[in-house]
Amino acid sequence: MGVEMGLPDDLHMWLRGQLEVTTVNGALAIALSSMFLAIMLRTKLNQPSEPPKKGSNGSRSGEVLAQSNSPTSRGTVRLGNERVAPCLQGTIFPSTGLLSSNPEEPYEFENDNCSGLFLPLHRPTHNPALDKSCQYPFGDHFKGRKRLWELRLQVRFKQRVDKSLLIGIELEDYVPLNNASQKLMALTVAALRRVAGNDLYHSVGDDPSKGSGPHEKPVFMMPLWACDQIIVTPEGEDPPLLTDPMFCNYGDLRTNDRKAFINTATNLELVPGPTYTFSFWGISQFLDVIKWEVQKVVPFKSIDFNVFCGRPPVQIVFYTLDDEVIPGDTRHLQSRKKYYFRFALWSSEKRPSANVLKELLPSDNGFTAKLDEEAIDRSRHSTLTKVFACCTGSRSA
């Protein structure tokens, strides 16, 4: 039975009851945290053995891919008996193996439309004392800043980008929202709009049970100017290192002159030759990926991210849209999308199911083997629990 109430009462009822709500694969508005993205804590920040030679943008000489990690190199999550600090995990499509945040070097990726590097950063929100100390990789960068995470992407396009490049979040499946969740989602989207701007496209997707396809996936997309930093390096010059301590000073920053930044991003030509570097953190204050929580939307309350995304993973995507197949149909249908970057991510504390992980990481045999070991351990524990329950249960006289 629905309850007619004002938003605050609805929300408090929903929060107190930890809900009778079906999780929502559609409200990915929040997912826009995108989660976006990734952090692996290490005890000490790796320092270069010698000062890097600087290029025109503060970069070290060498090709864009010279900075990179291979998919299986340092920066990925260690398995076995070694304890791993909570972090954001994920994989780039096509699968690059298991990745984690705050790596020593950025990760390579390549697809049909572009190639480049990706560096996901996240402060250790699971450990307030460590966060406050700034004694962790990239701690000096986060010091004095409100952002919880930052995503840095450096790309070279293989052909001219003729359509508007959009950035945001995409979910795989549609899940119905109840009335309270719809209101909560609307409140969150409104909060994100105040940071990212009004030119947002948000859809909970199409309900497959209410008509034939094609169906739209849940998406929350923004124009390119919703990025917070853009650096364009001319062909033949060296782009900045994504790990450069001075990275925050390069290129155009949204915070310096919002109007000028929007104009620059809107008129930016994306063509083969130059190297384009984008950084994004604006909405991170609302989305804690490691804790998998939405924050500062409802006063004094954090909200489980799964309420909005259903279950991990969520995908951070960059894509363009082809013209509408049916005039007036503005949905972001799969047939219209041209992907430039796709990153499926989750928290190490809120992982996808073992079956989903095996689909996402088909070539990462070490990690999938670990999943099988964990499943066996859980099965053994369950069996032993039942055995001992029988032995220790009460007996009739």
Side-chain angles (χ1 to χ4, degrees):
M1 179 182 297
V3 180
E4 295 293 332
M5 288 184 166
L7 181 59
D9 291 333
D10 258 346
L11 290 177
H12 287 308
M13 175 182 294
W14 176 79
L15 289 166
R16 277 199 310 269
Q18 247 353 116
L19 61 244
E20 304 161 11
V21 161
T22 23
T23 55
V24 209
N25 248 22
L28 91 194
I30 286 3
L32 202 263
S33 19
S34 85
M35 304 140 256
F36 294 89
L37 341 138
I39 168 177
M40 172 133 191
L41 294 176
R42 296 181 193 276
T43 57
K44 194 164 122 180
L45 182 61
N46 185 38
Q47 299 292 334
S49 56
E50 58 183 20
K53 179 181 176 182
K54 297 291 183 179
S56 62
N57 282 308
S59 70
R60 184 169 57 195
S61 61
E63 295 297 316
V64 59
L65 296 183
Q67 309 175 35
S68 68
N69 264 330
S70 67
T72 56
S73 71
R74 59 191 179 181
T76 54
V77 175
R78 300 172 188 172
L79 302 174
N81 295 324
E82 184 175 356
R83 182 176 178 80
V84 178
C87 61
L88 186 140
Q89 299 174 340
T91 188
I92 301 172
F93 293 91
S95 180
T96 51
L98 184 66
L99 312 184
S100 61
S101 54
N102 289 18
E104 296 173 4
E105 299 291 340
Y107 297 105
E108 291 183 37
F109 72 92
E110 183 169 8
N111 53 49
D112 292 340
N113 301 314
C114 66
S115 61
L117 302 171
F118 176 55
L119 183 71
L121 307 177
H122 203 302
R123 58 199 314 155
T125 51
H126 66 288
N127 187 332
L130 179 60
D131 187 11
K132 185 176 181 179
S133 75
C134 295
Q135 299 299 308
Y136 58 90
F138 302 97
D140 287 342
H141 174 69
F142 283 108
K143 186 176 182 179
R145 293 185 165 100
K146 294 181 180 180
R147 69 195 70 168
L148 300 184
W149 46 259
E150 181 175 336
L151 303 179
R152 298 176 182 177
L153 185 69
Q154 194 167 82
V155 299
R156 285 179 176 167
F157 296 100
K158 296 182 178 181
Q159 58 269 325
R160 185 183 187 88
V161 181
D162 293 322
K163 305 290 185 180
S164 296
L165 186 62
L166 305 175
I167 62 175
I169 293 202
E170 177 181 279
L171 299 181
E172 233 6 83
D173 303 312
Y174 170 85
V175 175
L177 291 171
N178 71 3
N179 191 47
S181 292
Q182 289 178 13
K183 290 181 179 180
L184 182 59
M185 182 179 65
L187 183 66
T188 303
V189 172
L192 296 180
R193 283 187 192 279
R194 288 196 292 271
V195 176
N198 289 320
D199 292 339
L200 306 179
Y201 181 84
H202 169 238
S203 172
V204 296
D206 294 326
D207 185 347
S209 68
K210 295 183 178 179
S212 58
H215 298 116
E216 181 183 38
K217 291 185 177 182
V219 292
F220 184 88
M221 302 301 297
M222 302 175 291
L224 188 59
W225 57 257
C227 285
D228 296 280
Q229 183 178 9
I230 297 177
I231 307 165
V232 181
T233 306
E235 185 174 12
E237 297 186 16
D238 300 318
L241 288 175
L242 295 184
T243 55
D244 190 332
M246 300 301 294
F247 180 88
C248 60
N249 297 318
Y250 304 139
D252 295 307
L253 296 171
R254 194 166 183 257
T255 54
N256 287 348
D257 188 333
R258 185 175 182 272
K259 190 173 183 180
F261 184 84
I262 291 175
N263 184 63
T264 297
T266 301
N267 295 295
L268 184 62
E269 290 190 346
L270 304 176
V271 296
T275 301
Y276 301 87
T277 305
F278 307 103
S279 189
F280 181 79
W281 66 80
I283 64 167
S284 70
Q285 60 183 304
F286 298 109
L287 305 164
D288 188 325
V289 179
I290 291 181
K291 291 183 177 180
W292 210 245
E293 291 179 348
V294 178
Q295 302 176 346
K296 299 182 180 179
V297 174
V298 178
F300 313 114
K301 285 288 185 179
S302 295
I303 305 165
D304 190 325
F305 197 7
N306 283 345
V307 170
F308 294 90
C309 70
R311 57 187 176 183
V314 298
Q315 292 186 25
I316 298 169
V317 295
F318 281 56
Y319 64 65
T320 59
L321 288 171
D322 291 337
D323 293 336
E324 301 163 8
V325 177
I326 302 174
D329 187 353
T330 60
R331 291 178 300 164
H332 289 202
L333 299 174
Q334 292 305 108
S335 60
R336 299 180 60 201
K337 295 176 183 177
K338 186 175 185 179
Y339 289 100
Y340 290 84
F341 181 74
R342 296 173 67 195
F343 179 63
L345 64 109
W346 56 90
S347 169
S348 61
E349 307 301 286
K350 292 283 185 78
R351 294 191 312 201
S353 68
N355 288 338
V356 170
L357 284 172
K358 288 179 180 180
E359 292 178 4
L360 291 170
L361 305 167
S363 60
D364 201 326
N365 296 325
F367 186 66
T368 54
K370 177 65 176 176
L371 292 174
D372 290 336
E373 290 176 12
E374 290 178 353
I376 292 173
D377 287 342
R378 284 194 299 271
S379 177
R380 287 173 177 167
H381 181 268
S382 177
T383 300
L384 288 172
T385 299
K386 292 177 181 178
V387 168
F388 284 109
C390 293
C391 296
T392 58
S394 60
R395 301 179 181 178
S396 57

